[in-house]
């Protein structure tokens, strides 16, 4: 099996192996993240009462002898005590969600650190998370809509070139926010959800692939390249049906070499030009 990052995924997880499934070599269970980091995934929650002590001892010896950093996925809920005893650090992955944090508190778990999956729409801040779990935040993963878009469009399964471009946008530091981020900040309405009309539009003037989206809040139809470093305003529509009418059977043009040029021709006579500072915001 292969996951969305085009990484081969083992058929047996850590939970299966600890509970006495056929004794696969541990190396067969591992997902190599990079040359120095390895992941031991689990497919199901680990039953705390049925963990094999012999298997834990084998796991401990294997982890001690490997030179790489090993991340053990202990599943959801409190990890098995046997796993905690052999771990150098115990980290909890959570969101700034009241219900998730309350579940963490009630579990009695005392983590060494927190990996925070940060959602911009949440009202709880990092201090609240640290105070609630009595542990420092050691890493933050920002939720970005481009990830969901890329997964839905199948752009994360084509190899590591796509992965690199996508994750670069996710991990980009605040001073280097994308052109789309800055465009949204110019008008609060633009923070509304988008309706996507394909992510692989091409044009004769560029070798890049473009996403075309209609913003529900502002009515703007725009195009942006893969890393969202350039945004082009195409027009303004008051309703989604207006876009559909202007772009009849757009799916048949999606893979055309000049598909984006076709959109420009279609929308130019039918729309109001949106307020963009120039043809592209860089």
């Amino acid at each position: 099996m292969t996951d969305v990052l085009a990484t081969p995924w083992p058929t047996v997880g850590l939970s299966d192996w600890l509970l006495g499934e056929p004794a696969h070599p541990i190396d067969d269970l591992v997902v190599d993240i990079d040359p120095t980091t390895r992941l031991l995934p689990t497919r199901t929650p680990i039953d705390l009462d049925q963990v094999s002590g012999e298997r834990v001892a084998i796991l401990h010896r294997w982890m001690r002898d490997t030179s790489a950093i090993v991340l053990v996925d202990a599943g959801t809920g409190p990890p098995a005590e046997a796993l905690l005893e052999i771990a150098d650090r115990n980290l909890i992955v959570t969101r700034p969600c009241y219900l998730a944090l309350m579940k963490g508190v009630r579990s009695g778990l005392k983590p060494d650190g927190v990996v925070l999956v940060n959602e911009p729409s949440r009202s709880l801040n990092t201090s609240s998370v640290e105070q609630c779990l009595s542990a420092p935040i050691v890493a933050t993963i920002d939720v970005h809509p481009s990830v969901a878009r890329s997964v839905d469009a199948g752009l994360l399964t084509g190899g590591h070139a796509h992965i690199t471009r996508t994750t670069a946008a996710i991990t980009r530091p605040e001073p280097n926010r994308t052109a789309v981020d800055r465009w949204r900040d110019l008008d609060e309405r633009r923070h509304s959800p988008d309706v996507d009309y394909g992510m692989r539009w091409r044009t004769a003037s560029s070798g890049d692939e473009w996403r075309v989206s209609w913003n529900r809040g502002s009515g703007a139809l725009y195009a942006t390249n893969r890393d969202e470093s350039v945004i082009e305003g195409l027009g303004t529509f008051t309703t989604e049906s207006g876009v559909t009418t202007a772009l009849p059977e757009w799916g048949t043009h999606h893979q055309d070499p000049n598909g984006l040029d076709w959109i420009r021709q279609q929308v130019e006579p039918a729309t109001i030009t949106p307020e963009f500072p120039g043809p592209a915001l860089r």
Side-chain angles (χ1 to χ4, degrees), residues 140-205:
T140 299
I141 303 172
D142 289 329
V143 174
H144 198 288
S146 65
V147 179
R149 285 196 176 108
S150 296
V151 172
D152 292 344
L155 297 181
L156 290 185
T157 61
H160 292 285
H162 285 163
I163 297 169
T164 301
R165 287 194 291 269
T166 303
T167 54
I170 301 168
T171 58
R172 185 181 292 107
E174 185 68 15
N176 296 322
R177 299 171 71 237
T178 69
V180 174
D181 291 333
R182 298 196 302 274
W183 172 74
R184 293 189 193 280
D185 288 343
L186 295 175
D187 186 336
E188 185 63 31
R189 297 175 302 168
R190 295 173 181 170
H191 286 281
S192 299
D194 290 339
V195 176
D196 293 336
Y197 288 86
M199 298 184 64
R200 291 182 171 176
W201 293 98
R202 289 175 291 169
T203 176
S205 60

Side-chain angles (χ1 to χ4, degrees), residues 13-92:
L14 177 62
S15 54
D16 307 308
W17 187 84
L18 285 172
L19 297 177
E21 289 290 322
H24 295 263
I26 296 181
D27 283 320
D28 291 349
L29 312 179
V30 171
V31 176
D32 290 316
I33 305 301
D34 60 37
T36 63
T37 309
R38 313 185 80 185
L39 171 67
L40 268 173
T42 186
R43 298 191 305 158
T44 57
I46 298 175
D47 189 331
L48 305 183
D49 298 326
Q50 299 183 33
V51 171
S52 167
E54 179 184 358
R55 292 292 175 87
V56 172
I58 296 173
L59 175 62
H60 190 191
R61 289 195 296 270
W62 179 85
M63 292 175 63
R64 182 187 58 203
D65 294 340
T66 186
S67 59
I69 298 172
V70 179
L71 304 176
V72 178
D73 179 358
T76 57
E81 190 66 30
L83 293 180
L84 292 177
E85 291 176 356
I86 67 174
D88 293 324
R89 300 182 73 190
N90 173 26
L91 303 178
I92 184 172

Side-chain angles (χ1 to χ4, degrees), residues 197-198 200-205 210 212 221 223 232 234-235 237 242-271:
Y197 288 86
R200 291 182 171 176
W201 293 98
R202 289 175 291 169
T203 176
S205 60
W210 297 71
V212 172
L221 183 71
E232 175 185 343
L234 299 171
F237 294 84
V243 182
T244 305
T245 300
L247 304 177
E249 300 182 352
W250 61 268
T252 62
H253 299 274
H254 187 209
Q255 299 291 341
D256 292 350
N258 300 318
L260 186 57
D261 299 309
W262 172 81
I263 290 182
R264 290 168 177 152
Q265 294 173 358
Q266 290 293 117
V267 302
E268 184 175 0
T271 67

